[in-house]
Every structure is written in C-alpha cells, then in structure tokens.
Amino acid sequence: QVQLVESGGRSVQAGGSLRLSCQASGGTISTYTMGWFRQAPGKEREFLASISWIGGSIWHADSVKGRFTISRDDSKNTAYLQMNSLKPEDTAVYYCAASTNAGIALPPDFGSWGQGTQVTVSS
C-alpha cells in the first residue's frame, strides 16, 4: 500500500482559498482511486471527493460541489484538493486516502490514509 502525506492546511479567512496536496510514496498512485475526507471536532468523517484512476471519473459531495475540486498528477505521484470560497464550517482535519478500486470508490474501499492536515477558516 502507498503511504500518503497531506500538506497545505493552514488558517485562512472566510472567502479565501487553499490547495491541499497529498504526496504518495512507496508506490504509484496511477493505479489508485484517490479521495479526500474531512473530520471536524465532534462530527463524523465526511467523504468529500474522489477521482478514479481509470477514466478519471470525478465525484464531489454536494456540500463542496462548486467550491472544491479534486485533481491528480500521476507524474508527481500527488493528488490535490483545491478549495475556494472557504467558510468557517469547512474547518476540519482533511485527509487523503487511496483505494485500489478502478472506478469511483466508497468510503469503506479506501485502505491507505494520510495523517491529516488542519484547515481552520475564520469569519
């Protein structure tokens, strides 16, 4: 399984933008469907987006659709989450994950996880 390290999280004001990165090692993400999740204090983990390795099929949760965009650069072994128009309710620890599913994966399908990166959005 690949090892994943997220970066790019920081404190930002509402309306701002961030790009999170997920760097993989110990393998290539070119045969993994990549996903992004977040977990806010006291809340369940939320599945935000995924991008498959076959066909590049993309899915975004309704809560972030139109504001967040998942992408991947297999040549850099990195997945990204571009986050625009950030809101205080986007404050959470953000995790990337990898699934060996060829198409869009569901949360239980993700077997490799990063340690998370904190995003804090102030009003």
Side-chain angles (χ1 to χ4, degrees):
Q1 290 185 336
V2 293
Q3 290 79 52
L4 305 172
V5 177
E6 303 93 337
S7 63
R10 62 178 177 87
S11 295
V12 64
Q13 289 194 329
S17 297
L18 286 176
R19 188 178 77 159
L20 304 184
S21 298
C22 174
Q23 177 71 56
S25 62
T28 173
I29 67 167
S30 62
T31 56
Y32 286 85
T33 288
M34 302 301 294
W36 284 95
F37 297 74
R38 69 184 177 189
Q39 188 164 21
K43 295 188 177 181
E44 294 186 354
R45 187 170 59 195
E46 181 182 10
F47 185 24
L48 300 177
S50 67
I51 182 167
S52 67
W53 63 275
I54 289 184
S57 296
I58 291 174
W59 172 86
H60 293 94
D62 288 344
S63 59
V64 302
K65 195 174 295 183
R67 298 190 300 123
F68 292 10
T69 303
I70 190 172
S71 62
R72 62 191 298 155
D73 186 341
D74 290 353
S75 69
K76 295 183 178 179
N77 224 21
T78 302
Y80 303 96
L81 186 68
Q82 177 67 42
M83 306 189 296
N84 300 326
S85 302
L86 284 162
K87 306 174 182 179
E89 51 263 44
D90 294 320
T91 295
V93 178
Y94 284 71
Y95 300 89
C96 73
S99 166
T100 55
N101 280 26
I104 295 293
L106 298 177
D109 298 323
F110 290 90
S112 298
W113 292 82
Q115 83 291 344
T117 186
Q118 176 71 47
V119 172
T120 302
V121 184
S122 58
S123 58

